[in-house]
């Protein structure tokens, strides 16, 4: 299998290249944002269209601004696509979903197996803990270079909680960035707090707080390689799949 990697010269791109080779795949090549810099571990192709033409599947952890165009390129080429970029707008996610009508796409907030189990548990807990009694708060911390907040995984946790409560994140309402005289917390809203500092790979805590007890679930990633390993696993899984929008629950056999 020939795997192409968007952003192959970056920190995540290099890990993806290593994991692709470890899985027995061939590196078809990659793209990079600008010329120069460190040498890439595979040939650098001129654009995403050329990368899809040379690959059986492409993995992309680059930037939200390119997600829609890359998904469209996947659909035009009829090649599977693994998208791990976070911070997509609703419009960008809709464009990815539209492209999935013509090719198989795995789009996930997080490719670590443990996080996907975390999401499943969060949904079940939320279904059992009524919002009138248990406030849901999500706290995440990442390295100082991360540009979006809250993280894609934190948003996915919020959506899992809302789904467990029979609603959507938008309908439940969110609270974040509390500062000054904010007034009382809204019942049923899902709270978010984002911390940035150092080189933290990723930490997420979901807290259900009631008057008489607190329940907390925490996941910590210590090495970005766990995301690369999961993404390559998704790329292998996509081979021969029908067009559609999939996530890591499908890859892990959880649905």
């Amino acid at each position: 299998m020939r795997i192409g990697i968007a952003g192959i010269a970056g920190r995540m791109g290099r890990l993806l290249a290593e994991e692709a080779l470890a899985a027995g795949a061939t590196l078809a090549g990659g793209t990079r944002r600008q010329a120069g810099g460190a040498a890439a571990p595979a040939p650098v192709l001129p654009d995403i269209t050329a990368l899809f033409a040379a690959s059986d599947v492409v993995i992309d952890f680059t930037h939200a601004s390119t997600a829609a165009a890359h998904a469209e390129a996947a659909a035009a080429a009829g090649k599977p696509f693994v998208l791990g970029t976070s911070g997509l707008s609703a419009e960008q996610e809709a464009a990815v979903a539209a492209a999935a009508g013509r090719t198989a796409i795995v789009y996930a907030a997080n490719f670590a197996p443990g996080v996907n189990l975390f999401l499943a548990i969060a949904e079940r807990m939320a279904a059992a803990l009524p919002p009138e009694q248990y406030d849901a708060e999500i706290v995440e911390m990442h390295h100082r270079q991360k540009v979006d907040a809250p993280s894609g995984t934190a948003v996915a946790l919020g959506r899992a909680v809302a789904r467990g409560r029979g609603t959507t994140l938008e309908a439940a309402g969110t609270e974040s960035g509390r500062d000054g005289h904010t007034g009382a917390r809204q019942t049923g809203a899902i709270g978010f707090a984002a911390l940035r500092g150092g080189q933290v790979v990723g930490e997420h805590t979901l807290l259900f707080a009631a008057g008489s007890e607190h329940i907390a679930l925490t996941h910590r990633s210590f090495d970005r390689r766990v995301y690369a390993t999961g993404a390559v696993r998704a790329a292998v899984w996509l081979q021969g799949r029908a067009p559609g929008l999939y996530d890591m629950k499908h890859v892990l056999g959880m649905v």
Side-chain angles (χ1 to χ4, degrees), residues 60-149:
D60 179 7
F61 275 70
T62 55
H63 194 273
S65 62
T66 64
H70 288 186
E72 174 57 31
K79 299 288 183 69
F81 183 42
V82 177
L83 178 61
T85 303
S86 61
L88 273 64
S89 67
E91 182 179 359
Q92 290 164 335
E93 289 191 332
V96 172
R102 292 181 284 154
T103 194
I105 297 177
V106 170
Y107 169 47
N110 195 300
F111 283 81
V115 165
N116 287 277
L117 291 170
F118 189 178
L119 293 171
I121 294 168
E123 183 173 345
R124 295 188 65 180
M125 290 182 67
L129 303 173
E132 296 79 14
Q133 299 173 30
Y134 290 83
D135 296 320
E137 292 282 330
I138 297 163
V139 182
E140 57 98 341
M141 184 170 185
H142 286 82
H143 52 88
R144 67 194 313 274
Q145 292 90 357
K146 187 168 178 61
V147 297
D148 58 301

Side-chain angles (χ1 to χ4, degrees), residues 1 4 8 14 48 54 61 68 72 74 90 107 109 129 145 147 157 163 169 178 180 183 185 196 226 240:
M1 182 175 62
I8 196 168
R14 291 179 177 279
I48 195 68
F61 275 70
E72 174 57 31
Y107 169 47
L129 303 173
Q145 292 90 357
V147 297
L157 278 169
R163 197 161 50 245
L169 184 59
R178 298 183 182 99
R185 190 189 195 285
R196 296 290 178 267
V226 70

